[in-house]
């Protein structure tokens, strides 16, 4: 009897202790994680050229990773801007510096400028420096943009600080209209490194047709004209990772898109995220952006080449899609360019 009672007490004590042990172990695991931007990768790099006068680019790491959208070259670095150098820039009428990256492969990739309405820069843009001090930055370069063949490649990566001058702007305080954006950097650094590039796929996407599921969504809600009882103005588009690839012509006042269109050809890695959206064209005096009706996302290998795929989900009764490969004639013309 006493032995059974003792065994029961031990069992109860074990029940209370076990979850606490698991929780402590999990907490310890999280505490030991290193922030991604401070991890050093195995990729070695050498400095080829450097033009730094009080503005220094310190590289923490370069790595090839697959993030949630694409195969990328991930670069973690710090920009140090000295007070003396910043005062010299201000004396020249330079109000900010924009940090740009470029990487040369078969094609050269240059990081885009985050413009608002084509001419405005936000003071909250992490790549825009408006004062002295340190800034830790991270940038991901899509490997597909370099159009490398599978295998080992030596690449040059260039960091540049581009001088910017703003117009006198009485609009929102955090948005500044650009008056001058120089193409000559005040500081730069070039480094060389090697990567093992994955195999890239040259492909395009054809949407044969799609139709809204009127049992799930009310198509008239997409019509915002006065007293409007019509239907949406439909089109579809394609993205690869964060890159906008193609959009089809719009068809007005319909619930079914019946004319097949094929996107332009683009390069992608097998793990890159492909996004196809069914969209209502809705830019006008009362609307500032299109309405996304439904979205399909997956890898390029999720789409068939030999025959169309039919998807039925969400607000769509069906979406009929087929992947296309370039024919030999297209490849030959491309090679002769």
């Amino acid at each position: 009897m006493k032995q059974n009672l003792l065994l029961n007490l031990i069992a109860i004590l074990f029940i209370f202790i076990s979850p606490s042990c698991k929780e402590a172990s999990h907490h310890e695991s999280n505490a030991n994680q290193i922030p991604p931007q401070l991890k050093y990768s195995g990729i070695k790099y050498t400095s080829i050229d450097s033009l730094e006068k009080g503005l220094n680019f310190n590289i923490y790491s370069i790595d090839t990773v697959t993030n949630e959208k694409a195969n990328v070259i991930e670069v973690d670095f710090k920009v140090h801007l000295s007070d003396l150098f910043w005062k010299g820039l201000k004396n020249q009428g330079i109000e900010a510096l924009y940090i740009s990256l470029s990487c040369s492969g078969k094609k050269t990739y240059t990081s885009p400028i985050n413009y608002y309405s084509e001419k405005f820069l936000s003071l909250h843009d992490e790549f825009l420096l408006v004062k002295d001090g340190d800034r830790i930055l991270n940038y991901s370069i899509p490997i597909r943009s370099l159009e490398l063949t599978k295998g080992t490649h030596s690449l040059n990566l260039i960091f540049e600080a581009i001088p910017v001058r703003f117009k006198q702007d009485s609009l929102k305080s955090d948005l500044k209209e650009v008056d001058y954006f120089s193409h000559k950097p005040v500081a730069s650094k070039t480094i060389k490194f090697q990567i093992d590039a994955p195999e890239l796929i040259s492909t395009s996407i054809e949407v044969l047709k799609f139709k809204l599921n009127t049992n799930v969504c009310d198509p008239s809600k997409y019509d915002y004209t006065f007293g409007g009882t019509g239907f949406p103005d439909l089109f579809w588009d394609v993205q690869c990772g964060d890159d906008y690839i193609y959009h089809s012509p719009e068809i007005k006042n319909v619930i079914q898109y019946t004319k097949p269109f094929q996107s332009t050809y683009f390069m992608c890695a097998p793990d890159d995220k492909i996004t196809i959206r069914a969209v209502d064209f809705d830019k006008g005096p009362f609307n500032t952006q299109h309405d996304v009706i439904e979205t399909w996302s997956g890898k390029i290998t999720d789409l068939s080449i030999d025959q169309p795929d039919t998807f039925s989900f969400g607000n769509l009764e069906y979406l009929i899609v087929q992947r296309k490969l370039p024919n030999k004639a297209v490849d030959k013309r491309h090679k002769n360019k």
Side-chain angles (χ1 to χ4, degrees):
M1 181 73 177
K2 289 183 178 179
Q3 185 177 4
N4 290 338
L5 182 60
L6 181 62
L7 290 174
N8 289 336
L9 289 173
I10 292 172
I12 293 171
L13 183 62
F14 180 77
I15 291 172
F16 282 102
I17 291 175
S18 294
S20 300
C21 291
K22 289 181 180 178
E23 184 178 353
S25 175
H26 178 71
H27 177 74
E28 182 181 353
S29 174
N30 287 339
N32 289 337
Q33 288 181 0
I34 303 172
Q37 70 270 20
L38 298 181
K39 287 183 179 178
Y40 287 82
S41 72
I43 294 181
K44 296 180 180 180
Y45 53 88
T46 56
S47 180
I48 303 172
D49 173 57
S50 184
L51 174 63
E52 300 176 340
K53 304 174 182 177
L55 191 154
N56 304 102
F57 296 98
N58 300 312
I59 292 84
Y60 284 145
S61 70
I62 301 173
D63 208 351
T64 52
V65 299
T66 301
N67 62 25
E68 62 178 4
K69 292 187 177 180
N71 278 274
V72 298
I73 301 170
E74 189 172 84
V75 186
D76 296 297
F77 63 102
K78 181 175 77 172
V79 182
H80 170 74
L81 180 59
S82 71
D83 176 64
L84 184 62
F85 186 67
W86 178 244
K87 287 178 179 178
L89 293 177
K90 297 287 285 185
N91 291 336
Q92 299 175 48
I94 296 172
E95 298 173 274
L97 293 174
Y98 202 89
I99 304 303
S100 171
L101 278 73
S102 62
C103 189
S104 58
K106 181 179 178 182
K107 281 193 170 181
T108 298
Y109 174 86
T110 302
S111 59
I113 302 166
N114 298 320
Y115 278 121
Y116 287 75
S117 302
E118 298 182 355
K119 295 182 179 180
F120 291 84
L121 286 174
S122 170
L123 296 183
H124 300 297
D125 188 329
E126 62 177 333
F127 292 95
L128 186 69
L129 307 181
V130 293
K131 62 180 181 179
D132 61 291
D134 296 339
R135 182 81 61 89
I136 295 177
L137 299 173
N138 170 274
Y139 201 85
S140 297
I141 301 170
I143 291 180
R144 67 179 173 275
S145 64
L146 305 175
E147 296 193 3
L148 302 170
T149 56
K150 184 178 180 180
T152 304
H153 295 268
S154 294
L155 304 177
N156 290 339
L157 180 62
I158 302 174
F159 302 80
E160 294 183 323
I162 310 297
V164 183
R165 185 182 300 122
F166 300 117
K167 290 184 178 179
Q168 293 299 319
D169 176 24
S170 59
L171 298 177
K172 295 180 180 179
S173 59
D174 64 337
L175 288 180
K176 297 295 183 182
E177 186 174 3
V178 175
D179 178 50
Y180 171 78
F181 200 104
S182 173
H183 294 288
K184 185 177 180 181
V186 296
S188 66
K189 186 170 187 174
T190 303
I191 64 172
K192 177 178 282 186
F193 64 100
Q194 286 188 337
I195 67 165
D196 290 322
E199 182 178 4
L200 296 181
I201 300 169
S202 178
T203 189
S204 76
I205 291 174
E206 181 181 23
V207 173
L208 285 79
K209 56 184 176 179
F210 66 87
K211 183 180 180 181
L212 273 63
N213 188 342
T214 55
N215 293 324
V216 175
C217 67
D218 178 7
S220 64
K221 74 178 183 179
Y222 296 105
D223 181 18
Y224 288 100
T225 57
F226 285 110
T229 57
F231 293 138
D233 303 329
L234 295 179
F235 71 95
W236 60 271
D237 60 20
V238 176
Q239 290 176 265
C240 181
D242 290 320
D243 296 335
Y244 197 88
I245 303 297
Y246 171 85
H247 68 84
S248 70
E250 62 176 294
I251 299 179
K252 292 183 176 295
N253 200 33
V254 293
I255 62 170
Q256 185 178 13
Y257 198 99
T258 57
K259 191 171 182 180
F261 285 97
Q262 183 177 340
S263 77
T264 52
Y265 282 92
F266 60 96
M267 304 291 287
C268 65
D271 291 333
D272 287 350
K273 182 179 179 181
I274 306 297
T275 304
I276 304 172
R277 306 187 305 175
V279 190
D280 170 34
F281 186 94
D282 220 9
K283 278 195 173 180
F286 305 105
N287 304 297
T288 59
Q289 61 184 7
H290 307 310
D291 292 322
V292 178
I293 297 171
E294 197 54 81
T295 299
W296 178 92
S297 295
K299 299 177 182 179
I300 195 66
T301 50
D302 294 332
L303 300 175
S304 301
I305 300 172
D306 299 330
Q307 59 185 9
D309 293 309
T310 300
F311 302 100
S312 179
F313 60 99
N315 291 325
L316 295 184
E317 184 176 325
Y318 57 77
L319 169 68
I320 304 178
V321 184
Q322 187 169 6
R323 179 158 65 101
K324 298 287 186 178
L325 296 179
N327 57 47
K328 293 182 179 179
V330 172
D331 283 345
K332 187 175 181 181
R333 287 196 302 269
H334 181 73
K335 182 181 281 189
N336 290 337
K337 285 186 179 181

